Amino acid sequence: STRGMWVGTFHGLCNRLLRVHAAEAGLQPSFQIIDQADQLSVVKRVMKAAGVGKETIEPRAVQNYISRMKEEGLRASEVKGPDMHTANAAVALQLYRAYERLCVEEGIVDFAELLLRSYELLQRNELIRRHYEQRFSHILVDEFQDTDQLQVDMIKRMAGEGFSRMCTVGDAQQSIYRFRGADVSVYRRHLEDVRRRNPEGIIELPDNFRSHGDVLALCDRIFEQPQVFGAEFMSLAPGRAESKVKRPFLPDGPRVQVQVTVTPSRGVASADVAVVAARRVAKSFSEFAAAGHRPGDMVVLLGGMVLLGLVLGLDQVQGRGVGGGGQLAGEQEVAGVPVRNLVDLILFADDFTS
């Protein structure tokens, strides 16, 4: 039975915890959660009241500073020394103090505060900590590679001695939320800790049930390069049943073709290069369509949306019910998805055969 289970994100579970124990956590029972836009507005109010202008420090820099300090588990009174990531860190710290006071007065809580306040509650209140240690017989944390140290420290306080009742699922190769404060080194340290305590407690899942073996082989060639993941890269084995694929790849040719557009370093406009690349993509689409693929089976991964406009304007893809970006309305479309620096991962291109 799922009755009694708590399922949610870290922030969602912290909100639930604090609603139950608002008084013990030092919060108003009806505290309000503010999003990032609201938090920035509060920061601007604090700066105005303190007489600090944008020429001294940008409001967003102050917001980032406050969030980073909280993610490191630090109250304004606990910050020691300057922050190397913030210009005018002394001013940012002054504003952090004022921000804390205003949030308490108005009963508002930002996202980072949910985590920090929950961590402090479990750390300082032994009765509540013991209650939740007994409350949950098992704790599962998915996408563990996208956690930060404060999240892990908080959840371990509910997982019993030696966090023996906690199961984590993660993959360092899929860590994509560093810009939100996630720290993949937390995952690596936890992995080594588990390996030291209980080597049999580590289970690898090397089978991939989504992609064809040719695609996985290309991933191996790219990500095993020393300047990417190197020896840390875990190669995946193809595990999907090709006979059960509803719309298999139709041509008899190779599933992976690497096209590299090489131009002189001078004398060729970037717009002209983009046109050449767009025509090659469009030609591939036309060939796929001729082989029997539907437009809805095709997708473009781009370093910028400018190229998408060029692709959609070419004759080979016109009249096929084409859409792009976030404006996808149906299956019959070619989707354009922005991906940064994808070409930077295509290393040693001349080693590939098409």
Side-chain angles (χ1 to χ4, degrees), residues 54-338:
K54 292 192 298 183
E55 65 278 2
T56 301
I57 187 170
E58 286 289 335
R60 195 169 296 280
V62 177
Q63 180 185 32
N64 293 338
Y65 173 85
I66 292 172
S67 296
R68 186 166 57 253
M69 292 301 103
K70 289 186 178 185
E71 288 164 359
E72 294 178 7
L74 297 174
R75 294 289 180 192
S77 60
E78 299 170 327
V79 177
K80 307 295 182 184
D83 175 52
M84 61 180 296
H85 301 288
T86 305
N88 293 323
V91 176
L93 178 56
Q94 170 194 345
L95 295 169
Y96 183 14
R97 295 191 186 101
Y99 174 87
E100 281 187 325
R101 290 193 296 268
L102 182 61
C103 288
V104 171
E105 292 170 2
E106 298 189 355
I108 55 179
V109 173
D110 60 47
F111 291 150
E113 182 70 18
L114 287 171
L115 292 165
L116 180 54
R117 188 76 62 151
S118 298
Y119 166 77
E120 291 172 340
L121 175 67
L122 295 171
Q123 180 189 44
R124 298 170 183 174
N125 194 310
E126 184 177 355
L127 289 177
I128 293 178
R129 182 174 66 251
R130 286 184 176 179
H131 167 75
Y132 286 101
E133 284 179 352
Q134 298 169 7
R135 168 68 175 76
F136 300 114
S137 59
H138 298 88
I139 296 177
L140 169 65
V141 184
D142 196 13
E143 304 293 356
F144 196 80
Q145 75 279 352
D146 291 323
T147 59
D148 59 43
Q149 191 62 55
L150 182 61
Q151 292 171 336
V152 175
D153 290 343
M154 187 273 294
I155 207 71
K156 281 183 176 179
R157 277 164 171 72
M158 296 190 289
E161 183 177 356
F163 50 91
S164 57
R165 297 198 300 274
M166 184 169 74
C167 174
T168 61
V169 181
D171 179 2
Q173 296 163 195
Q174 297 186 44
S175 180
I176 60 174
Y177 288 109
R178 297 181 189 182
F179 66 96
R180 291 185 182 175
D183 183 357
V184 71
S185 66
V186 173
Y187 166 84
R188 292 193 174 103
R189 288 195 299 269
H190 175 71
L191 184 63
E192 291 306 314
D193 195 10
V194 174
R195 183 175 283 118
R196 184 177 64 256
R197 291 169 179 262
N198 179 24
E200 295 181 354
I202 298 178
I203 302 173
E204 290 192 346
L205 304 174
D207 295 322
N208 180 294
F209 297 96
R210 296 180 180 177
S211 301
H212 188 273
D214 291 356
V215 176
L216 297 177
L218 175 66
C219 291
D220 285 349
R221 294 296 304 276
I222 294 173
F223 293 108
E224 70 186 5
Q225 301 296 333
Q227 57 269 62
V228 187
F229 285 109
E232 294 183 2
F233 181 70
M234 184 175 74
S235 178
L236 299 178
R240 76 177 188 177
E242 294 298 327
S243 61
K244 296 182 179 180
V245 177
K246 293 183 179 180
R247 295 199 302 274
F249 194 76
L250 297 177
D252 296 330
R255 290 173 177 269
V256 176
Q257 300 181 47
V258 177
Q259 297 180 349
V260 180
T261 302
V262 180
T263 61
S265 58
R266 295 181 181 180
V268 179
S270 59
D272 294 335
V273 177
V275 169
V276 172
R279 285 175 176 164
R280 298 177 75 179
V281 171
K283 182 174 181 293
S284 296
F285 280 172
S286 181
E287 293 171 352
F288 289 145
H293 278 292
R294 302 187 304 184
D297 295 334
M298 306 179 198
V299 62
V300 190
L301 305 179
L302 303 174
M305 298 307 290
V306 174
L307 183 59
L308 177 62
L310 294 172
V311 173
L312 301 186
L314 296 176
D315 293 339
Q316 291 95 325
V317 296
Q318 289 181 352
R320 299 187 185 278
V322 178
Q327 302 173 351
L328 306 181
E331 186 177 338
Q332 294 296 321
E333 37 188 26
V334 179
V337 183

